Each structure stands twice: as C-alpha cells, then as structure tokens.
Amino acid sequence: MSEQEIKVPDLGGADEVEIIEIAVSAGDTVEEEDPILTVESDKASVDLPSPMAGKITKITVSVGDSVKEGDVVGLIDADGAAADETSDDDTPDEPSEDASEDTTEDKADDKPAKPAASTAGGSRTETVTVPDLDGAEDVPVLEINVKEGDDVAEDDPLVTVESDKATFEIPSPFAGKVGKLLVKEGDKLSAGDKLLEMTVSGGESDGEEKEASAKASEASAESSPESAPKPQKKASGGSRKETVKVPNMDGAEGVPVLEINVSAGDEVAEEDPLVTVESDKATFEIPSPYAGKVDKVLVSEGDKLSEGDNLLEMTVAGDGEAADKGADEAPAAEENKPSRAEGEQASPAAESVSDEPKTSGKVHAGPAVRKLARELGVDMARIRGSGPKSRILKDDVQAYVKGELQKTQEGSAPAAAGGAGIPGVKLPDFSQFGDIERESMSRIQVATANNMQRNWLNVPHVTQHDAADITDMEAFRKSLKAEGEKRGVKMTPLAFLLKASAHALLELPQFNVSLDMERREVIRKRYIHIGIAVDTPNGLMVPVIRDVDKKGLWELAEEASEMAAKARDKKLKPNEMQGGCFSITSLGGIGGTAFTPIVSTPEVAILGVSRASMQPVWDGGAFQPRLMMPLSLSYDHRAVNGADAARFTTLLGQVLGDVRRLLL
C-alpha cells in the first residue's frame, strides 16, 4: 500500500473555487472518478473526482475553504501498481511518438471513429462528434451557437449543454464552414453522438491529420465546465461592436419603456437619447454611452427594464487600439449572457422577475445555488437568471432576496393591503347605486398613495401653526422685478422660503436628522438639501434642491423654476428627487388658511405654506394692515419636541419678516 496526495485538478481557468460539500471522510473506500468534494466557481458547481481507487486516509480541507489548482485536499492509499500508474499520470513525461499512437488507439476504443476525410479541392468534410462529457449522459442542448453556412474558428463554441452539475460549451475541433446541423435545441447528447458536418479547408497529410485529431481530442478531453473559449468580437476597419446596457437607475427596477428614440441604421452621438422610460416618480431618457451606428434594438415599447439589461447593439467607430480593446473586453462583458438566434429580440419584460410564480418551465441552476435558495426559502421560479440560457447564479438569488427585503423596508406593499396590522377597507359594489367607470391608477398615483400611507402609519405627526409677517419681504421682492427681467429669472416667495428654512435648519440642527430605529441611532446630516412639492397633471412630484444654504436668492429662484418645469414635463431623473433633508409644500397660489402636511420619512419635518392675506396687526398703538403668511410645520414627534417646533416657526417668522437677518 502507498499513500498519495489528492490534488485539485485543472479548474478551467478559475483562480480559486469554494468548497461547498465534502462527499467522503477518512476511512472511506472509493473508486477512480468517484466524487471527493464539490466546489463552486463564479459560474458553476462541479465535483472533483478521485484520481484513483483506494482508501481515503485524510481530508485536509473543510467546507467553505477556497482552493486552487494543485492544492492538496486529502490523502489516499492505493496498491503499488495503481500508485505507480497514478504517479505517471500526475507527472507525465514528454510523450513519445509510439506513446502518442498508443494513446490515439486507446481513445479510439472509447469513442466512435470519425469518418475518413474526403479530400477534394484542398478541403475535406468532417463530422464533429460530442467529446467526453466527464461521464455525463443524455445532456440536454440548451442553445445552438452556430447555423448552417457559418465560418467558425478552431475552439469556437458550437453548442451549449447543461449537465446535472454545470452548463458548458462544446468547442469546434476544426476551423471551417458549418455544413449541416445534426442536432436541435432540447436534444439529449452523450459522448460520441454526431453534432454537425463541416467543411474543413486545406489538405493535410496522414501525419498532420493524426496530429490535428489528437490535438482536438486533447482539447475536448481537457475542456471543463465554463472553460470553453468564448467567441470574440473582431475589430475591423477601426470599429467595434458594443452591446449597450441599461445603466444604474438609482435602484429603480422593472421600469417600462415609453418610447424608443432610435432605430436600426441610425447614427447617434454620445449622450444622444436612446429610449425614454418612466419610473414611479419621473420620466427620463437613457443616453448613448458611445457615438456610432445602431445595429439592432433589443427592446420594445412597453418592455420593463432593470439595471444591466441589454438595450441595443451598435457599431462604435474608433481607432485600432480602441477597437482591439473593445474586442478583448467584449467576451468578459457578455460572459454570463446567453447569445440569441439571429432575428430574435431580447425582451426585458419577459426576463424580469414576475410578481407571480411561474407555473411551468424548467429552472436552470446548479446544486449549490438550489441549496442556497432552499436555505433562504426562495421560490426560484421568481428569479431572473443572469447566466447562460437564464441560468440562475448565486448572485441572482442574493440580489433577489436583497431586493425583496428592500421593498419590505421601504413599505412598498400596496396601500390597499393596509399596514401595521390595520385591516383594509372592503369596498361595496358601487354599481348598485348608479353608473360607474373604473380606470387604472398611474404609477405616480400608486407610489404617492403607498408613500403617504407608510409615512402616516410610521410617523407620530404633530403640526405647529404660526404666521409670518411678509409685508417688507414682499415689497423687497417686487422691487426686484426689473432686475429679474434682465436676468431672465422671476423672483418668487419660494426662494425666500428656501433660504429662511436653510437658516433655521442651521440654527436648529435637530430638524436636520433622520432616525434609524433598528439601530437606535440618530443620523445627523452635514448638508442641507430641501425638497419642493410641485403639483403636476400627473400627480405630486418633489424635486430636491441641493446645498440651499450655500446659494443666493437669484440662484435659488432660477433652480426652483427649472426643477418645477422638469417635474411638470416628467423629465426629472431619480437622483433629482432623492437626498432631501426637509420639504416645503405651498398651497399659497390656490387658497386656504392652514393644513397638516404629511412628513416624508426619513425626513423629520415639512413646512406647509398657505395663501398670505392682509390682516390688522396691533403695533402697540393702533392696528396696522400687514401681509401675513400662514405657516404649518408638521414634524416627527420622535425626533422633534413641541418647544423646538415653536422655536423653528418663530425663527422663520423673524427671518421672513426682516430678510436682513440672513446676513447676520
């Protein structure tokens, strides 16, 4: 008996893999090729087989360890002959010509011989067969990567198959032209089955043919899951192919396409709009990251997009170096994306995570991914896979769970479902009272309803009412009319309200916080961004003006006007409605004397402004007519005390009553 080391074999290019399961323990007797342990790379889960038959004497690794090619994972005892044979296999000398011929003959016993090449006119016809699949049988064809008439290079992927443990590609053993496909998607393949016929260019001697055949067999035998070379996009004429993807949309998912602004054949410049989409709060355009020509649009109006989805294919003009770089990077960018048959259009709507489980269709995932999904209680039918042929990866499961948790924490459950244990309202059949008409709520209406209910249920609201004397402020504002016309900016009361609120937030920083109730922490903000509520035909929008404390009145008036116009035109971007510390909502242009605005959590206060009116105010000797503006400050009573709220509205009144205080 002799003791041999069990080493990690070639991992198909992976640097390190994680051990997710150990199939044997010390004392177990195994046969050659029996699985020792299961590892998982970024792309697949595979079993590492025993290099010989014998008894396991020691396992030197644990579940969760990371290993690489050549690492020792255990020891095994085998008889002398088997050990010698294994040793020869582990450290092979340079094979002699006789050994090469013997090897070829041995392989011929295991695989069907290829038909003799018919040499005519400098070319021959070859029938490509399925190589060894590591013992797997009846492996289904997921995708056929070539079609009849295609020119392929040696090692280009021909078909993609999926075993019980991994998805991988079968490479071409020759360079030539595809003649006839002998399989179709869904067929089940085993080693030796015929894949396709192809015409191989160039006449070769018997020795050259044998050498080429041996090389092809070696390449096929050594190919492991996910290690087959990927086809590269060729750069020619100083241009390259690029697949434009959906950029980050500030967390928005499943955003519908309203309009496609380009079509195949169009020339576009960098930053030109490609498509127009609509999130819960805004309509915005996705710009082109390159200048070039649109080859193929991969989405349709109505499709729903998320970050990373394919948008369109385009040819990007550039110098040779840039083209070479693009060709080298393209396979990495597309490594986990399935290729599509010509003429097939990618539909993000079809790929997005559905709200209801799938009722049919196979879920493609490895054993480690399925185990993770079981542990997390995830229905895999709800997950959109990012691997080949929509194969679900571990990252997909984790991203799905993270997204669901985020939805729960943000309170995105429908308002109609009630909240905090409060039962929903059951509606009567209104048609029994008369004619009715139903129409769907817009996305903005749904989002507003959900947010309002979440805020009202989670925040203990209190509203402080007060009034500010803005007689002098209004006189000053009106005196700026001529200057505003020269600047092209209209000075509005909102600019004064923004500046006064920023001043109050600096003086009373307890209003510029957010509460983290899970960690029992107060988050104090060192910036002042203020949201302004804008009434639009599509619903309430709240763009955010940043660094209000650092801007002058003219700058604030101009920015507020621009933001309001973008809100009404549905042109606000998601990041333009995020990051607010405090909000202002004004009904002064409509009417009313007071109201109770709802705090927009995680902010802790919101200022409501009603219509100003002339009122008699006692000056100590007589009543004087003064222009009074009603203020309604709603606040989160967990963060703000009533006395602080009174101080805040009093300070606002002082600053609005005499804007010179802003200079102090």
Side-chain angles (χ1 to χ4, degrees):
M1 302 293 284
S2 60
E3 197 171 57
Q4 299 288 328
E5 292 180 337
I6 304 173
K7 296 183 178 180
V8 177
D10 174 43
L11 297 170
D15 293 331
E16 280 192 340
V17 293
E18 181 184 351
I19 298 174
I20 60 174
E21 187 176 355
I22 297 176
V24 296
S25 56
D28 288 351
T29 300
V30 296
E31 297 294 329
E32 186 176 357
E33 299 298 326
D34 277 358
I36 297 294
L37 48 85
T38 304
V39 298
E40 182 174 59
S41 70
D42 292 337
K43 304 167 188 171
S45 303
V46 294
D47 289 334
L48 298 187
S50 173
M52 67 193 77
K55 179 181 287 187
I56 303 295
T57 59
K58 187 177 182 181
I59 295 295
T60 59
V61 292
S62 305
V63 173
D65 288 352
S66 294
V67 294
K68 58 183 182 298
E69 180 180 351
D71 284 353
V72 176
V73 297
L75 301 174
I76 184 171
D77 265 340
D79 57 50
D84 292 342
E85 182 179 325
T86 305
S87 177
D88 291 341
D89 289 340
D90 287 343
T91 57
D93 295 325
E94 191 69 20
S96 66
E97 185 177 352
D98 292 339
S100 178
E101 291 177 0
D102 291 341
T103 303
T104 305
E105 291 175 3
D106 292 340
K107 288 180 179 177
D109 294 337
D110 297 329
K111 297 182 183 180
K114 295 179 181 177
S118 56
T119 308
S123 63
R124 67 186 191 279
T125 301
E126 294 283 355
T127 300
V128 180
T129 58
V130 178
D132 176 58
L133 300 172
D134 293 325
E137 298 288 332
D138 294 331
V139 176
V141 177
L142 288 186
E143 187 172 2
I144 297 175
N145 303 315
V146 296
K147 61 182 183 298
E148 294 179 3
D150 280 357
D151 287 315
V152 296
E154 186 175 347
D155 287 332
D156 275 0
L158 301 177
V159 300
T160 303
V161 297
E162 182 180 53
S163 70
D164 292 337
K165 302 170 184 174
T167 301
F168 53 98
E169 295 166 339
I170 296 178
S172 174
F174 312 105
K177 177 177 284 189
V178 177
K180 184 179 181 181
L181 293 172
L182 304 177
V183 295
K184 60 183 183 296
E185 291 187 6
D187 285 354
K188 295 185 178 180
L189 303 180
S190 300
D193 287 348
K194 295 178 180 179
L195 272 181
L196 53 83
E197 294 176 356
M198 66 185 301
T199 302
V200 181
S201 301
E204 298 177 334
S205 64
D206 291 343
E208 290 172 333
E209 289 181 10
K210 182 179 292 185
E211 182 180 351
S213 178
K215 180 180 178 182
S217 298
E218 181 182 353
S220 298
E222 290 180 354
S223 65
S224 59
E226 304 299 334
S227 68
K230 303 289 189 289
Q232 295 192 358
K233 296 179 181 178
K234 306 271 193 262
S236 61
S239 63
R240 67 185 190 276
K241 300 286 187 180
E242 292 285 353
T243 299
V244 178
K245 298 180 181 295
V246 177
N248 176 268
M249 296 187 291
D250 293 302
E253 296 287 332
V255 177
V257 177
L258 290 186
E259 184 179 0
I260 297 176
N261 303 314
V262 296
S263 56
D266 285 355
E267 297 282 350
V268 296
E270 189 173 348
E271 298 298 327
D272 276 0
L274 301 178
V275 300
T276 303
V277 297
E278 181 182 48
S279 72
D280 290 341
K281 300 177 180 177
T283 300
F284 55 96
E285 296 166 338
I286 295 178
S288 174
Y290 314 104
K293 183 177 182 179
V294 177
D295 295 329
K296 187 177 182 181
V297 178
L298 303 177
V299 296
S300 304
E301 289 186 7
D303 287 352
K304 294 184 178 180
L305 303 182
S306 299
E307 179 183 352
D309 287 342
N310 290 343
L311 203 57
L312 53 83
E313 295 174 356
M314 66 186 300
T315 300
V316 179
D319 55 28
E321 181 179 353
D324 291 339
K325 181 179 179 184
D328 291 339
E329 292 176 351
E334 293 298 314
E335 191 169 36
N336 288 330
K337 298 292 181 182
S339 60
R340 293 180 172 85
E342 185 176 2
E344 180 182 351
Q345 189 177 59
S347 174
E351 294 178 355
S352 61
V353 181
S354 63
D355 291 333
E356 297 298 332
K358 299 174 184 174
T359 56
S360 63
K362 182 178 179 181
V363 172
H364 295 295
V369 177
R370 294 179 185 275
K371 180 181 179 182
L372 176 64
R374 287 195 302 271
E375 290 174 347
L376 297 176
V378 174
D379 179 2
M380 296 185 70
R382 293 178 176 268
I383 302 176
R384 180 185 68 233
S386 63
K389 213 66 177 179
S390 298
R391 183 178 181 82
I392 298 173
L393 309 177
K394 182 185 287 187
D395 287 345
D396 299 328
V397 177
Q398 293 171 339
Y400 173 79
V401 172
K402 182 179 178 181
E404 291 301 305
L405 286 173
Q406 186 176 1
K407 289 179 184 177
T408 301
Q409 292 169 359
E410 290 179 352
S412 60
I422 300 174
V425 177
K426 185 173 177 60
L427 299 178
D429 178 10
F430 294 106
S431 62
Q432 63 181 314
F433 310 121
D435 292 339
I436 63 170
E437 181 180 345
R438 285 182 174 268
E439 62 180 37
S440 298
M441 297 172 68
S442 69
R443 291 169 60 85
I444 294 176
Q445 288 174 324
V446 172
T448 301
N450 289 336
N451 289 336
M452 291 299 178
Q453 181 172 14
R454 177 196 63 186
N455 295 339
W456 184 254
L457 290 175
N458 285 282
V459 175
H461 282 71
V462 180
T463 303
Q464 170 73 19
H465 298 286
D466 208 333
D469 184 345
I470 62 169
T471 309
D472 296 336
M473 185 198 85
E474 271 296 279
F476 175 60
R477 184 183 71 83
K478 291 177 180 178
S479 71
L480 299 173
K481 182 177 180 181
E483 184 178 349
E485 290 175 351
K486 291 180 182 179
R487 291 174 175 265
V489 179
K490 182 179 180 180
M491 181 62 71
T492 64
L494 179 59
F496 291 90
L497 287 167
L498 284 165
K499 197 66 179 175
S501 296
H503 178 77
L505 290 171
L506 286 171
E507 291 292 322
L508 299 168
Q510 59 267 45
F511 284 84
N512 194 17
V513 303
S514 288
L515 300 181
D516 187 340
M517 298 305 296
E518 290 185 1
R519 300 169 118 187
R520 301 294 190 267
E521 292 177 351
V522 177
I523 302 169
R524 301 193 182 278
K525 302 164 189 175
R526 305 303 182 193
Y527 53 88
I528 295 180
H529 305 336
I530 298 180
I532 54 172
V534 180
D535 180 33
T536 77
N538 304 296
L540 186 66
M541 311 284 281
V542 187
V544 175
I545 298 179
R546 283 167 162 68
D547 299 317
V548 176
D549 56 317
K550 300 175 183 178
K551 296 175 179 177
L553 289 172
W554 286 115
E555 190 175 0
L556 291 173
E558 182 177 13
E559 191 169 347
S561 177
E562 290 176 354
M563 285 291 196
K566 290 176 74 173
R568 284 188 287 269
D569 295 338
K570 299 178 69 176
K571 294 255 179 103
L572 284 173
K573 296 178 181 178
N575 64 341
E576 292 177 321
M577 295 183 286
Q578 296 175 344
C581 308
F582 182 81
S583 294
I584 298 175
T585 177
S586 176
L587 300 178
I590 302 173
T593 57
F595 63 107
T596 303
I598 295 178
V599 175
S600 179
T601 187
E603 297 171 17
V604 298
I606 181 173
L607 177 66
V609 180
S610 298
R611 173 181 287 178
S613 61
M614 294 299 296
Q615 297 178 18
V617 177
W618 182 255
D619 65 0
F623 285 101
Q624 301 293 336
R626 307 296 292 178
L627 185 62
M628 304 300 293
M629 174 184 283
L631 303 177
S632 301
L633 178 74
S634 288
Y635 57 92
D636 183 341
H637 211 341
R638 296 173 301 175
V640 177
N641 294 324
D644 291 329
R647 293 186 184 99
F648 192 96
T649 55
T650 299
L651 180 57
L652 278 180
Q654 292 172 350
V655 173
L656 293 172
D658 188 351
V659 294
R660 293 174 297 180
R661 290 180 174 273
L662 294 174
L663 301 175
L664 299 178

